[in-house]
Amino acid sequence: MSGAVAVFGGTFDPVHFGHLRSALELTELLSLERLLFMPAAQPPHREQPAVSAEHRAAMLELAIAGEARFSCDRRELRREGPSYSVLSLEELRLELGAQTPLYMILGADALGQLDQWHRWEELLTLAHLLAIARPGWDWPEDGPVATLLQERGAPAEVLAATAAGSVCIQTLRPQAISSTAIRSLLQSGRSARYLTPDSVLEYIARNNLYSATGEVAQE
């Protein structure tokens, strides 16, 4: 099979080099044709970001400019209601056809709580799940997610043989960067340079996002 596609969802509040480097390593590891960054408009498992989805998508587009395999998919901004991953995967599967390998990238913490997701048992009928391991993170030893890992676990190198259905845990180059830390720096009036692209920092300054006053520009 060829033409593999991956979806990297999240709030990206804001996007940073940890996201970007992980995406590049996975693109090379999986021989992806495309990787879609998919900002959640209304994340169902965490509080709503103070910065609008439009701003977060715009920062993503600036950050990935110049990498032809990356794009920002805004479908969850156009859809009303919570940004459920299963709905986006259903749409993508229809667009790609039944044979194209499709991967959903998620963090270790998200995989650990997968059984709390909307229609979570249907996810593997639509895509492979690729979880990024985090140092010190313990994977579930019992319960539905542990059973899923035991029954559907597979190494990255075999995933492309099928379009969907497996779970892979992948360790990448450690990136001790977080959106929370960037927001904290900016809100305290300190620099976040070298944690996120300069184009993103310029956009943040221009639109008065994450400011020390707590004021946030909304669109």
Side-chain angles (χ1 to χ4, degrees):
M1 294 187 184
S2 61
V5 176
V7 175
F8 193 169
T11 53
F12 303 109
D13 186 29
V15 62
H16 55 67
F17 284 128
H19 297 130
L20 301 174
R21 181 64 202 180
S22 294
L24 182 60
E25 291 187 20
L26 291 173
T27 297
E28 294 178 343
L29 175 72
L30 302 170
S31 300
L32 298 177
E33 181 175 293
R34 291 184 290 147
L35 186 145
L36 311 177
F37 287 88
M38 190 174 290
Q42 297 183 39
H45 303 293
R46 57 182 297 175
E47 64 182 31
Q48 183 71 18
V51 168
S52 73
E54 286 292 338
H55 277 312
R56 291 183 279 114
M59 288 187 283
L60 258 174
E61 289 170 346
L62 289 170
I64 63 178
E67 173 48 72
R69 293 167 294 184
F70 292 174
S71 61
C72 177
D73 189 311
R74 289 173 170 253
R75 73 183 66 228
E76 293 187 351
L77 277 66
R78 299 189 292 267
R79 192 167 63 229
E80 295 184 358
S83 299
Y84 292 129
S85 295
V86 67
L87 301 180
S88 298
L89 292 179
E90 283 180 333
E91 293 174 3
L92 280 168
R93 180 51 71 194
L94 287 173
E95 294 167 14
L96 297 172
Q99 302 303 314
T100 300
L102 176 61
Y103 307 91
M104 185 175 77
I105 301 166
L106 65 165
D109 51 347
L111 181 62
Q113 301 173 2
L114 192 70
D115 58 330
Q116 300 175 29
W117 288 31
H118 181 63
R119 293 168 52 193
W120 73 276
E121 293 172 310
E122 299 176 41
L123 295 172
L124 285 178
T125 68
L126 301 165
H128 298 298
L129 303 184
L130 196 148
I132 301 174
R134 192 172 67 192
W137 182 263
D138 293 323
W139 301 100
E141 297 181 356
D142 51 43
V145 176
T147 300
L148 189 73
L149 290 171
Q150 293 167 4
E151 295 178 350
R152 300 293 191 94
E157 55 266 24
V158 307
L159 298 184
T162 55
S166 296
V167 183
C168 176
I169 297 172
Q170 185 64 43
T171 300
L172 302 177
R173 184 182 301 274
Q175 298 286 333
I177 305 173
S178 72
S179 297
T180 301
I182 291 172
R183 294 195 303 270
S184 178
L185 285 170
L186 295 172
Q187 288 163 0
S188 65
R190 299 168 65 191
S191 174
R193 194 176 186 190
Y194 306 128
L195 297 177
T196 188
D198 286 346
S199 57
V200 172
L201 290 175
E202 290 165 3
Y203 184 93
I204 289 171
R206 187 164 63 250
N207 290 278
N208 192 35
L209 307 181
Y210 315 116
S211 69
T213 63
E215 296 175 0
V216 176
Q218 294 282 346
E219 287 185 353

